[in-house]
Amino acid sequence: MPNLFDAIRVGAIDAPNRIFMAPLTRGRADRQAVPTAMMADYYAQRAGAGIIITEATGISREGLGWPFAPGLWTDEQTEAWKPVVGAVHAAGGRIVAQLWHMGRQVHSSVIGGQPVSSSATATKGQAHTYDGKQDFETARPLDIDEIPRLLEDYENATRNAIAAGFDGVQIHGANGYLIDQFLRDNANFRDDRYGGSPENRIRLLREVTERVAATIGADRTGVRLSPNGDSQGVDDSDPKSVFVPAAKALSEIGIAFLELREPGPDGTFGRTDVPKLSPEIRQAYDGVLVLNSDYHKDDANAAIEDGRADAIAFGRPFISNPDLPERLRNDAPLAPDDMKTWYSQGPEGYIDYPALETATA
Ligand SMILES: Cc1cc2nc3c(=O)[nH]c(=O)nc-3n(C[C@H](O)[C@H](O)[C@H](O)COP(=O)(O)O)c2cc1C
């Protein structure tokens, strides 16, 4: 049976191991969502990952409300990604861009207009903005005539990802963002063909995936979903009824990989008693299945050896252990990460976590 350290072919991408880097927002771009030079160092330091999935990256101003997160909708952003991707490739790595539309999880002061969603809903609590935290506002439902434009935005970002040299893209369908706001029934109250039945709620995910796959190739397209439990106020009364057919639809499109963020009852970053759906999704989806949340070496290896997953995505461990695959291989101690620098703008807590050789030197 394969384990974490075995190579795997992921669509058109050859990954030398099954230790993937989960998408991690770090807030080191500039206010125009243009990547900065230190992002090249950060990602190159982590090139030992089987595949790096980048931090969530905006497909449009409308879709990007996280302060200092990067985008992929302008030429300037695209140009600035080139040295980042180039540095990862020069270090022997592979990197796919996570494409992000946050839907209602934004504040108007950042996106310059009313947030959009499937329906007129608001997230409880406060949004991160350039002026501290501010209350979430009620979103404007996307008009059905705006969906073609939204699909154009995904295509444009995908074209820019190709131009920047990325090995692929991952559509962010998880964590309560726009696609998830269409998928789950506590956020989607539409009465058109994008709302109501599971088939209708899956439609946007399907159309986005088809468009992205037509642009970059299904074999370079990944998707991330978070099927079990509440994500930033977005939840479903019967997850199986929507996420199993969604996985089937993605299987038919033939995407390269599907990644599931599945918190458990004892999760340390999100937790839920809603059971994980990966066993059912494993049956419905034929491609490479990547699982995430709270994995350590032993349970990650067990998931792969038992055939429950093909690869595991590690999030927080990659923040503080740039050489995570080597550390896992050698059973070396893992350095703890520091929450205070997760989203701070400087190099501190970003590119100053040493690799093992340097740490022990
Ligand atoms: C600082 C931070 C930023 C994150 N940013 C993203 C993101 O941009 N996109 C995403 O899909 N998930 C994001 N996540 C969730 C992680 O990808 C992952 O699901 C989570 O950390 C659980 O995995 P872990 O237990 O291996 O850390 C983020 C998590 C953290 C801690």
Side-chain angles (χ1 to χ4, degrees), residues 6 16 94 163 171 201 212 236 265 323 330 339 354:
D6 287 318
R94 300 134 299 278
I171 298 160
R201 282 182 278 130
V212 168
D236 198 87
D323 54 346
N330 298 315
M339 215 179 205

Side-chain angles (χ1 to χ4, degrees), residues 22-26 54-56 98 100 170 172 174-175 224 259 261 268-269 292-295 313-317 319 342-343:
L24 294 163
T25 291
R26 303 303 310 277
T54 68
E55 63 205 283
Q98 190 186 46
W100 202 20
Q170 182 192 58
H172 196 340
N175 300 354
R224 178 175 242 222
E259 186 204 2
R261 180 189 183 176
T268 58
F269 189 57
N292 166 257
S293 277
D294 283 301
Y295 280 94
F314 293 85
R316 287 161 294 169
I319 291 179
W342 277 2
Y343 308 120

Side-chain angles (χ1 to χ4, degrees), residues 92-303:
R94 300 134 299 278
I95 181 166
V96 305
Q98 190 186 46
L99 301 184
W100 202 20
H101 191 305
M102 298 173 70
R104 75 183 198 202
Q105 313 286 8
V106 302
H107 192 265
S108 57
S109 67
V110 180
I111 67 164
Q114 190 183 357
V116 303
S117 184
S118 49
S119 299
T121 60
T123 300
K124 286 198 184 70
Q126 297 193 307
H128 292 261
T129 80
Y130 287 107
D131 309 304
K133 291 199 171 182
Q134 301 194 51
D135 288 349
F136 280 111
E137 304 138 306
T138 300
R140 172 179 76 75
L142 274 170
D143 193 276
I144 197 160
D145 296 334
E146 291 177 278
I147 303 284
R149 188 268 303 160
L150 178 66
L151 298 177
E152 286 296 318
D153 290 344
Y154 275 98
E155 176 175 336
N156 176 56
T158 305
R159 284 194 190 291
N160 288 339
I162 296 169
F166 280 105
D167 299 288
V169 298
Q170 182 192 58
I171 298 160
H172 196 340
N175 300 354
Y177 295 110
L178 183 69
I179 291 174
D180 211 16
Q181 292 159 30
F182 275 78
L183 287 170
R184 301 208 248 179
D185 67 2
N186 87 338
N188 184 340
F189 302 101
R190 299 177 74 93
D191 56 12
D192 60 13
R193 64 179 192 279
Y194 292 92
S197 65
E199 187 190 351
N200 280 354
R201 282 182 278 130
I202 290 163
R203 194 176 309 278
L204 182 68
L205 170 68
R206 185 200 297 270
E207 290 180 353
V208 168
T209 307
E210 285 170 347
R211 180 65 76 92
V212 168
T215 307
I216 195 170
D219 57 359
R220 294 186 182 277
T221 301
V223 170
R224 178 175 242 222
L225 298 173
S226 51
N228 66 315
D230 175 282
S231 300
Q232 304 195 78
V234 175
D235 206 351
D236 198 87
S237 59
D238 183 10
K240 200 181 288 190
S241 71
V242 61
F243 284 101
V244 172
K248 204 167 280 172
L250 297 174
S251 201
E252 283 160 16
I253 297 170
I255 59 166
F257 69 100
L258 173 60
E259 186 204 2
L260 304 180
R261 180 189 183 176
E262 297 190 298
D266 304 317
T268 58
F269 189 57
R271 72 174 64 125
T272 178
D273 289 325
V274 179
K276 298 181 181 185
L277 262 183
S278 48
E280 286 86 346
I281 288 177
R282 184 66 157 165
Q283 302 303 316
Y285 171 73
D286 289 333
V288 169
L289 186 67
V290 186
L291 297 184
N292 166 257
S293 277
D294 283 301
Y295 280 94
H296 304 92
K297 179 178 177 174
D298 288 348
D299 55 354
N301 257 329

Side-chain angles (χ1 to χ4, degrees), residues 32-54:
Q32 277 65 52
V34 176
T36 56
M38 71 180 143
M39 289 168 61
D41 295 336
Y42 168 76
Y43 282 113
Q45 288 171 352
R46 288 155 182 78
I51 294 179
I52 294 171
I53 304 164
T54 68

